[in-house]
Short mmCIF file of all heavy atoms in Angstrom, two decimals:
data_model
loop_
_atom_site.label_atom_id
_atom_site.label_comp_id
_atom_site.label_asym_id
_atom_site.label_seq_id
_atom_site.Cartn_x
_atom_site.Cartn_y
_atom_site.Cartn_z
N TYR I 102 -0.63 41.89 -10.31
CA TYR I 102 -0.80 43.33 -10.46
C TYR I 102 -0.54 43.65 -11.93
O TYR I 102 0.56 43.43 -12.43
CB TYR I 102 0.18 44.10 -9.57
CG TYR I 102 -0.18 44.07 -8.10
CD1 TYR I 102 0.24 43.03 -7.29
CD2 TYR I 102 -0.94 45.10 -7.54
CE1 TYR I 102 -0.09 43.00 -5.94
CE2 TYR I 102 -1.27 45.08 -6.19
CZ TYR I 102 -0.85 44.03 -5.40
OH TYR I 102 -1.17 44.01 -4.06
N PHE I 103 -1.57 44.16 -12.62
CA PHE I 103 -1.47 44.41 -14.06
C PHE I 103 -0.57 45.61 -14.33
O PHE I 103 -0.70 46.66 -13.71
CB PHE I 103 -2.87 44.65 -14.63
CG PHE I 103 -2.91 44.83 -16.11
CD1 PHE I 103 -2.38 43.87 -16.96
CD2 PHE I 103 -3.48 45.97 -16.68
CE1 PHE I 103 -2.42 44.02 -18.34
CE2 PHE I 103 -3.53 46.13 -18.05
CZ PHE I 103 -3.00 45.16 -18.88
N GLY I 104 0.35 45.44 -15.29
CA GLY I 104 1.31 46.52 -15.57
C GLY I 104 0.97 47.36 -16.78
O GLY I 104 1.76 48.22 -17.19
N GLY I 105 -0.20 47.12 -17.40
CA GLY I 105 -0.61 47.96 -18.51
C GLY I 105 -0.39 47.35 -19.88
O GLY I 105 -0.93 47.83 -20.87
N THR I 106 0.41 46.29 -19.97
CA THR I 106 0.68 45.62 -21.25
C THR I 106 0.13 44.21 -21.20
O THR I 106 0.45 43.44 -20.28
CB THR I 106 2.19 45.56 -21.53
OG1 THR I 106 2.72 46.89 -21.52
CG2 THR I 106 2.47 44.92 -22.88
N LYS I 107 -0.69 43.86 -22.19
CA LYS I 107 -1.22 42.50 -22.25
C LYS I 107 -0.10 41.53 -22.64
O LYS I 107 0.71 41.83 -23.51
CB LYS I 107 -2.37 42.42 -23.24
CG LYS I 107 -3.62 43.15 -22.77
CD LYS I 107 -4.79 42.91 -23.68
CE LYS I 107 -6.06 43.56 -23.13
NZ LYS I 107 -7.23 43.31 -24.00
N LEU I 108 -0.11 40.35 -22.01
CA LEU I 108 0.97 39.38 -22.22
C LEU I 108 0.60 38.30 -23.23
O LEU I 108 1.47 37.56 -23.69
CB LEU I 108 1.36 38.71 -20.89
CG LEU I 108 1.74 39.64 -19.74
CD1 LEU I 108 2.17 38.82 -18.53
CD2 LEU I 108 2.85 40.60 -20.14
N GLY I 109 -0.69 38.20 -23.57
CA GLY I 109 -1.12 37.11 -24.44
C GLY I 109 -1.20 35.81 -23.66
O GLY I 109 -0.61 35.69 -22.57
N VAL I 110 -1.92 34.85 -24.21
CA VAL I 110 -2.13 33.59 -23.48
C VAL I 110 -0.81 32.89 -23.17
O VAL I 110 -0.57 32.43 -22.06
CB VAL I 110 -3.06 32.65 -24.29
CG1 VAL I 110 -3.11 31.26 -23.66
CG2 VAL I 110 -4.48 33.23 -24.35
N GLY I 111 0.10 32.83 -24.17
CA GLY I 111 1.39 32.18 -23.95
C GLY I 111 2.19 32.85 -22.84
O GLY I 111 2.79 32.18 -21.98
N GLY I 112 2.19 34.18 -22.83
CA GLY I 112 2.92 34.92 -21.80
C GLY I 112 2.32 34.70 -20.42
O GLY I 112 3.05 34.60 -19.42
N LEU I 113 0.98 34.62 -20.36
CA LEU I 113 0.31 34.39 -19.08
C LEU I 113 0.62 33.00 -18.53
O LEU I 113 0.90 32.83 -17.34
CB LEU I 113 -1.21 34.57 -19.23
CG LEU I 113 -1.70 35.99 -19.45
CD1 LEU I 113 -3.18 35.99 -19.78
CD2 LEU I 113 -1.42 36.86 -18.23
N ILE I 114 0.57 32.00 -19.42
CA ILE I 114 0.87 30.62 -19.00
C ILE I 114 2.28 30.56 -18.39
O ILE I 114 2.50 29.99 -17.32
CB ILE I 114 0.74 29.64 -20.18
CG1 ILE I 114 -0.74 29.47 -20.56
CG2 ILE I 114 1.37 28.29 -19.85
CD1 ILE I 114 -0.97 28.69 -21.85
N THR I 115 3.23 31.19 -19.07
CA THR I 115 4.62 31.20 -18.57
C THR I 115 4.72 31.92 -17.23
O THR I 115 5.38 31.45 -16.30
CB THR I 115 5.55 31.89 -19.60
OG1 THR I 115 5.49 31.15 -20.83
CG2 THR I 115 6.97 31.95 -19.10
N ALA I 116 4.04 33.07 -17.13
CA ALA I 116 4.13 33.87 -15.90
C ALA I 116 3.53 33.14 -14.70
O ALA I 116 4.13 33.09 -13.62
CB ALA I 116 3.43 35.21 -16.11
N TYR I 117 2.34 32.58 -14.88
CA TYR I 117 1.69 31.88 -13.77
C TYR I 117 2.45 30.61 -13.38
O TYR I 117 2.57 30.28 -12.20
CB TYR I 117 0.22 31.58 -14.10
CG TYR I 117 -0.65 32.80 -13.93
CD1 TYR I 117 -1.11 33.52 -15.02
CD2 TYR I 117 -1.00 33.25 -12.66
CE1 TYR I 117 -1.89 34.66 -14.86
CE2 TYR I 117 -1.79 34.38 -12.48
CZ TYR I 117 -2.22 35.09 -13.58
OH TYR I 117 -2.99 36.22 -13.40
N LYS I 118 2.97 29.92 -14.37
CA LYS I 118 3.78 28.72 -14.08
C LYS I 118 5.02 29.10 -13.29
O LYS I 118 5.36 28.47 -12.27
CB LYS I 118 4.17 28.04 -15.40
CG LYS I 118 5.11 26.84 -15.19
CD LYS I 118 5.59 26.28 -16.53
CE LYS I 118 6.65 25.21 -16.30
NZ LYS I 118 7.17 24.68 -17.57
N ASN I 119 5.74 30.13 -13.74
CA ASN I 119 6.99 30.50 -13.09
C ASN I 119 6.78 31.07 -11.69
O ASN I 119 7.57 30.81 -10.78
CB ASN I 119 7.76 31.50 -13.96
CG ASN I 119 8.39 30.83 -15.18
OD1 ASN I 119 8.59 29.63 -15.20
ND2 ASN I 119 8.69 31.62 -16.20
N ALA I 120 5.72 31.86 -11.52
CA ALA I 120 5.43 32.41 -10.18
C ALA I 120 5.12 31.28 -9.20
O ALA I 120 5.54 31.31 -8.04
CB ALA I 120 4.27 33.39 -10.26
N THR I 121 4.40 30.27 -9.68
CA THR I 121 4.08 29.11 -8.84
C THR I 121 5.33 28.31 -8.53
O THR I 121 5.56 27.89 -7.39
CB THR I 121 3.05 28.20 -9.55
OG1 THR I 121 1.93 28.98 -9.95
CG2 THR I 121 2.58 27.09 -8.63
N LYS I 122 6.17 28.13 -9.54
CA LYS I 122 7.40 27.37 -9.35
C LYS I 122 8.30 28.07 -8.32
O LYS I 122 8.93 27.42 -7.48
CB LYS I 122 8.13 27.24 -10.69
CG LYS I 122 9.26 26.23 -10.68
CD LYS I 122 9.85 26.08 -12.08
CE LYS I 122 10.99 25.09 -12.06
NZ LYS I 122 11.67 25.02 -13.36
N LEU I 123 8.37 29.39 -8.38
CA LEU I 123 9.20 30.14 -7.43
C LEU I 123 8.77 29.92 -5.99
O LEU I 123 9.61 29.73 -5.10
CB LEU I 123 9.15 31.64 -7.76
CG LEU I 123 9.99 32.11 -8.95
CD1 LEU I 123 9.69 33.57 -9.28
CD2 LEU I 123 11.49 31.94 -8.65
N VAL I 124 7.46 29.94 -5.75
CA VAL I 124 7.01 29.76 -4.36
C VAL I 124 7.23 28.32 -3.91
O VAL I 124 7.61 28.07 -2.76
CB VAL I 124 5.54 30.21 -4.15
CG1 VAL I 124 4.54 29.32 -4.84
CG2 VAL I 124 5.23 30.26 -2.65
N LEU I 125 7.04 27.36 -4.80
CA LEU I 125 7.24 25.97 -4.40
C LEU I 125 8.71 25.65 -4.16
O LEU I 125 9.06 24.86 -3.28
CB LEU I 125 6.64 25.02 -5.44
CG LEU I 125 5.11 24.97 -5.45
CD1 LEU I 125 4.62 24.05 -6.55
CD2 LEU I 125 4.57 24.52 -4.10
N GLU I 126 9.58 26.28 -4.93
CA GLU I 126 11.02 26.07 -4.72
C GLU I 126 11.49 26.65 -3.39
O GLU I 126 12.49 26.19 -2.84
CB GLU I 126 11.82 26.67 -5.89
CG GLU I 126 11.72 25.83 -7.15
CD GLU I 126 12.39 26.47 -8.35
OE1 GLU I 126 12.67 27.69 -8.31
OE2 GLU I 126 12.62 25.76 -9.36
#
Side-chain angles (χ1 to χ4, degrees):
Y102 286 86
F103 183 56
T106 303
K107 290 187 176 181
L108 305 183
V110 171
L113 290 172
I114 289 171
T115 300
Y117 281 104
K118 175 186 173 182
N119 286 339
T121 307
K122 193 175 179 186
L123 283 172
V124 69
L125 287 178
E126 286 175 343

